[in-house]
Amino acid sequence: MKIKIEYHYNNKPINWFGHPINLILLITFQDYHKNFSKTYNLLFDILMNNKLYHEFIQNQSYNEFIIFIERK
C-alpha cells in the first residue's frame, strides 16, 4: 500500500467553513487497506489531543514525522 501525506501549516489561521484552522492535511492511499483505519484513527487522536498536536506540528521533516508516528 502506498500512502502520501501532504500538509500545510500556517501560524495565522484561515477560515474553513466558519472555523479557524492552522493545519491542512491531504492524505492519499493507493488502495484501501486494513491499515487505513489505523492510520486515520492515529491522526484523528493526534489532532484531538492538544499536547500531541503541538508535538506533531514541531516535526520539520518526513523522517521526524515518521519517528513521531511510530512512537504513538
Side-chain angles (χ1 to χ4, degrees):
M1 177 173 78
K2 188 173 183 178
I3 300 173
K4 287 191 173 191
I5 300 175
E6 296 291 330
Y7 69 93
H8 172 76
Y9 181 83
N10 195 347
N11 287 326
K12 181 180 175 186
I14 63 169
N15 183 4
W16 188 273
F17 298 100
H19 300 281
I21 64 164
N22 299 79
L23 178 67
I24 299 169
L25 292 174
L26 175 63
I27 306 168
T28 61
F29 293 83
Q30 184 176 357
D31 296 308
Y32 181 80
H33 190 273
K34 62 183 178 182
N35 288 335
F36 171 80
S37 293
K38 182 179 178 182
T39 303
Y40 178 83
N41 288 333
L42 176 60
L43 285 171
F44 184 81
D45 290 345
I46 290 168
L47 297 175
M48 297 282 71
N49 180 307
N50 199 34
K51 181 179 181 282
L52 289 177
Y53 173 75
H54 286 287
E55 288 178 31
F56 176 73
I57 63 174
Q58 297 304 312
N59 294 301
Q60 298 293 313
S61 69
Y62 179 77
N63 288 336
E64 287 180 12
F65 172 76
I66 294 302
I67 291 168
F68 174 82
I69 292 295
E70 289 175 345
R71 287 191 342 240
K72 303 303 168 216

